[in-house]
Amino acid sequence: LNALLGPAAAEEQRNTFLHHLRSGSLDSHQIEIEVPLPKDENKNNVNNHLTVSFLMPNPNKTEKKKMTVSQAKPLLLELESDRLIGSEDITKTAIRAVEQDGIVFLDEIDKICSPSGRFSNGVDASAEGVQRDLLPLIEGTTITTRYGNVNTDHILFIC
């Protein structure tokens, strides 16, 4: 509504325009909105994988874009959702979900751990019990990640 009326519009006028906005009668109107530019911290580093922060908007830098109301609706909905939810809430929810419902598949880890010469000579690395010995080290521990500590007590590990 601010893009259509400005922030100082009267309440009655805002309610009228809100009704028109919800009914879709304003969808073809051209408006100008400020949108955050994406962060470019990993842009020049070819070796880095794309991260979520690369795709997240940068609230400090914005640009004005002209678009129709129908084009602006999903963009503004996403920006407002990001502002209201907050990354800390998402991180806490994700850690809780991993701790309670996480499943980790450890496959072929024994081949990585075996000396290169022994595996190439036909010795079966899985017969050495590397996965069996590794599992107690990661089950029931607390792992420190950049998002916080993750307790592995209830994570299912499949070897």
Side-chain angles (χ1 to χ4, degrees):
L1 288 175
N2 285 345
L4 290 168
L5 303 172
E11 188 67 28
E12 185 178 322
Q13 189 178 20
R14 292 180 75 79
N15 288 336
T16 303
F17 268 85
L18 183 59
H19 173 71
H20 290 300
L21 185 64
R22 288 182 176 158
S23 70
S25 61
L26 298 175
D27 283 354
S28 62
H29 284 65
Q30 191 85 4
I31 60 171
E32 186 175 87
I33 60 171
E34 285 192 28
V35 294
L37 294 172
K39 289 183 180 179
D40 58 354
E41 58 194 32
N42 295 328
K43 195 175 194 176
N44 296 326
N45 192 346
V46 180
N47 294 328
N48 273 347
H49 296 286
L50 288 178
T51 61
V52 174
S53 65
F54 176 73
L55 302 173
M56 296 295 286
N58 186 350
N60 300 328
K61 296 180 182 176
T62 61
E63 69 176 340
K64 290 186 177 188
K65 287 190 173 185
K66 287 187 178 185
M67 59 183 71
T68 64
V69 170
S70 63
Q71 292 171 327
K73 279 181 185 179
L75 178 63
L76 292 172
L77 179 65
E78 181 181 340
L79 291 172
E80 188 65 13
S81 297
D82 289 345
R83 186 184 69 79
L84 291 174
I85 293 173
S87 62
E88 288 182 19
D89 293 336
I90 293 172
T91 301
K92 287 178 185 176
T93 303
I95 288 175
R96 226 177 299 121
V98 166
E99 288 178 340
Q100 297 304 314
D101 302 321
I103 299 174
V104 177
F105 292 93
L106 298 174
D107 191 22
E108 306 293 334
I109 192 81
D110 47 4
K111 291 170 182 66
I112 295 171
C113 296
S114 66
S116 60
R118 293 183 64 193
F119 183 68
S120 63
N121 289 336
V123 174
D124 185 11
S126 60
E128 297 177 27
V130 174
Q131 289 171 320
R132 182 191 66 236
D133 293 342
L134 184 61
L135 209 47
L137 296 174
I138 54 179
E139 283 182 325
T141 61
T142 301
I143 299 171
T144 303
T145 69
R146 64 178 160 169
Y147 302 107
N149 293 335
V150 177
N151 187 321
T152 64
D153 285 343
H154 302 290
I155 297 176
L156 175 62
F157 288 91
I158 301 174
C159 294

